[in-house]
Amino acid sequence: MKMSEGVEWALHTCLNLSWVTDGRAIRATTLAAFYELPPAYLNKQLQALARAGIVTSTSGPRGGFRLARRPEEITLLDVVVAIEGTEEAFRCSEILRQGPGGQPDVDYRQTCVISQAMRRAELSWRRELAAQSLADIKATVEHRFPAAPGQTRNRFTALRG
Amino acid sequence: MKMSEGVEWALHTCLNLSWVTDGRAIRATTLAAFYELPPAYLNKQLQALARAGIVTSTSGPRGGFRLARRPEEITLLDVVVAIEGTEEAFRCSEILRQGPGGQPDVDYRQTCVISQAMRRAELSWRRELAAQSLADIKATVEHRFPAAPGQTRNRFTALRG
DNA sequence: GTAGAACTACTCGGATAGAGGGTGTCCGAGTCGGCGCGG
DNA sequence: CCGCGCCGACTCGGACACCCTCTATCCGAGTAGTTCTAC
């Protein structure tokens, strides 16, 4: 059970975008050069973020990506779901139906105790992710590393050429 | 990010094994026939459980698997880790090192705020899994479906021939 | 000088190959139970 | 009748193919800026 590496990229990229104060868009190539990531592949992840309504994309010259909403309204869960999909990690395949006393018309996703326990754990995970917004991350980083926003903006302008 | 299907099989199998009151071992073929699972592949999962010390295996005639400890001392996390491995889903690849102001000698797994947030969520998931023991599941099932243990034992003896 | 239109270069977007891990299967090593033989 | 040794079959254990998802890449569609021309 491993998470796509794109989640990490997407989270860091969203954080970087949150420091772009003026309304300009940042293109995928620039965002990728930030961490020496493969540009085309990061672009793919950004497309997923755009489909999820987390960023907006603009084509053509001076185009690129920018956050679609305020950082307060973007949770970590939003980003994870945008990249990984909405499906949960533990998928109950209802094997109880094949066991003794298995009923064809029972929804074992609801009645199976093991499925419930696994879902409860995963719900706890999701709740924790939903409780953290991009603004929280941003504030923590700015508190611990006050130079980060400025460095990020400088790098963006330097890479623009 | 999807969990191996073997986790579901392992959990149900451990639960079934918990209903074997006498000390006899159940072979993989019988355990697989219980839910019409591929026997050889379930055997592979049972090997993982054996390596993790959750079940003990016996070779030869009348051999098979039995629980290595009491159900109270087997948590859901134990089973999940035995099948999925100890590595966490979100693996911080420390991409901050490539960014502006990246230090070669800093452990970004510890300092990166995003990594911390993701780890916190995953810890919550693990904690929830560790809080549920196989005995808890067993008790809940026996309370809701009192016929389950008897059915399971009957099926085991029926499949033994 | 200004407005319009065409052109050009730039950026995203989806369609297209390659690699790694999960899925599934098979056969061999080791072991336990049973059977036969001898005392 | 009882004990011992051999034999045989049975079960786990690890080594071997297959497939799907993640990773990575490329080229085309669409767009905004620019430039040129005509009024």
Side-chain angles (χ1 to χ4, degrees), chain A residues 63-126:
Chain A
F65 297 89
R66 67 197 89 191
L67 287 185
R69 315 175 228 150
R70 299 182 321 163
E72 288 82 6
E73 295 169 352
I74 299 176
T75 70
L76 297 189
L77 182 62
D78 293 333
V79 177
V80 170
V81 165
I83 303 294
E84 287 289 329
T86 177
E87 202 169 6
E88 49 193 6
F90 181 87
R91 295 149 297 119
C92 175
S93 61
E94 307 189 59
I95 65 176
L96 281 179
R97 182 164 297 147
Q98 317 301 333
Q103 305 289 335
D105 57 342
V106 172
D107 184 3
Y108 285 100
R109 287 187 179 81
Q110 300 299 329
T111 59
C112 173
V113 177
I114 288 175
S115 177
Q116 289 173 353
M118 294 301 290
R119 180 147 45 211
R120 192 178 316 132
E122 204 154 332
L123 219 73
S124 172
W125 176 72
R126 290 177 118 82

Side-chain angles (χ1 to χ4, degrees), chain A residues 1-5 7-9 11-12 15 33-37 76 80 84 87-96 98-101 110-114 116-118 120-122 124-125 128-129 132 137 140-141 144-145 151-152 155, chain B residues 1-5 7-9 11-12 15 33-37 76 80 84 87-96 98-101 110-114 116-118 120-122 124-125 128-129 132 137 140-141 144-145 151-152 155:
Chain A
M1 185 188 59
K2 69 181 172 69
M3 187 173 292
S4 167
E5 199 162 10
V7 171
E8 186 181 8
W9 302 359
L11 287 170
H12 279 279
L15 183 59
F34 210 89
Y35 298 119
E36 301 177 9
L37 303 175
L76 297 189
V80 170
E84 287 289 329
E87 202 169 6
E88 49 193 6
F90 181 87
R91 295 149 297 119
C92 175
S93 61
E94 307 189 59
I95 65 176
L96 281 179
Q98 317 301 333
Q110 300 299 329
T111 59
C112 173
V113 177
I114 288 175
Q116 289 173 353
M118 294 301 290
R120 192 178 316 132
E122 204 154 332
S124 172
W125 176 72
E128 197 74 28
L129 285 181
Q132 292 265 331
I137 302 288
T140 304
V141 172
R144 292 196 201 165
F145 311 100
Q151 281 180 339
T152 303
R155 184 86 176 251
Chain B
M1 185 188 58
K2 71 180 171 70
M3 188 174 292
S4 167
E5 200 163 9
V7 172
E8 186 181 8
W9 302 359
L11 287 170
H12 280 278
L15 183 59
F34 210 90
Y35 298 119
E36 300 177 11
L37 302 175
L76 297 189
V80 170
E84 287 289 328
E87 204 170 4
E88 49 192 7
F90 180 87
R91 293 149 299 120
C92 175
S93 61
E94 308 189 58
I95 64 176
L96 281 179
Q98 318 302 332
Q110 300 298 329
T111 58
C112 173
V113 177
I114 288 174
Q116 289 172 354
M118 295 301 289
R120 193 178 314 133
E122 205 155 330
S124 173
W125 175 73
E128 196 74 28
L129 285 181
Q132 293 264 331
I137 302 289
T140 305
V141 172
R144 292 195 201 165
F145 311 100
Q151 281 180 339
T152 303
R155 184 87 174 250

Side-chain angles (χ1 to χ4, degrees), chain B:
Chain B
M1 185 188 58
K2 71 180 171 70
M3 188 174 292
S4 167
E5 200 163 9
V7 172
E8 186 181 8
W9 302 359
L11 287 170
H12 280 278
T13 299
C14 284
L15 183 59
N16 284 338
L17 282 176
S18 79
W19 282 320
V20 177
T21 52
D22 50 359
R24 63 174 166 161
I26 312 292
R27 61 188 182 193
T29 305
T30 301
L31 292 167
F34 210 90
Y35 298 119
E36 300 177 11
L37 302 175
Y41 191 32
L42 178 64
N43 188 23
K44 195 179 182 60
Q45 314 294 351
L46 287 167
Q47 287 174 34
L49 291 180
R51 273 193 294 271
I54 295 173
V55 302
T56 59
S57 62
T58 312
S59 287
R62 319 283 294 175
F65 297 90
R66 68 198 87 191
L67 287 185
R69 314 176 230 151
R70 299 182 318 160
E72 289 82 5
E73 294 169 351
I74 300 176
T75 70
L76 297 189
L77 182 62
D78 292 334
V79 177
V80 170
V81 166
I83 303 295
E84 287 289 328
T86 177
E87 204 170 4
E88 49 192 7
F90 180 87
R91 293 149 299 120
C92 175
S93 61
E94 308 189 58
I95 64 176
L96 281 179
R97 183 163 297 146
Q98 318 302 332
Q103 305 290 336
D105 55 344
V106 172
D107 184 2
Y108 285 100
R109 287 187 179 83
Q110 300 298 329
T111 58
C112 173
V113 177
I114 288 174
S115 178
Q116 289 172 354
M118 295 301 289
R119 179 147 44 209
R120 193 178 314 133
E122 205 155 330
L123 221 73
S124 173
W125 175 73
R126 290 176 117 83
R127 192 174 295 124
E128 196 74 28
L129 285 181
Q132 293 264 331
S133 76
L134 190 60
D136 297 331
I137 302 289
K138 181 163 168 277
T140 305
V141 172
E142 289 176 357
H143 181 255
R144 292 195 201 165
F145 311 100
Q151 281 180 339
T152 303
R153 274 191 285 264
N154 289 342
R155 184 87 174 250
F156 275 148
T157 52
L159 289 170
R160 182 162 49 177

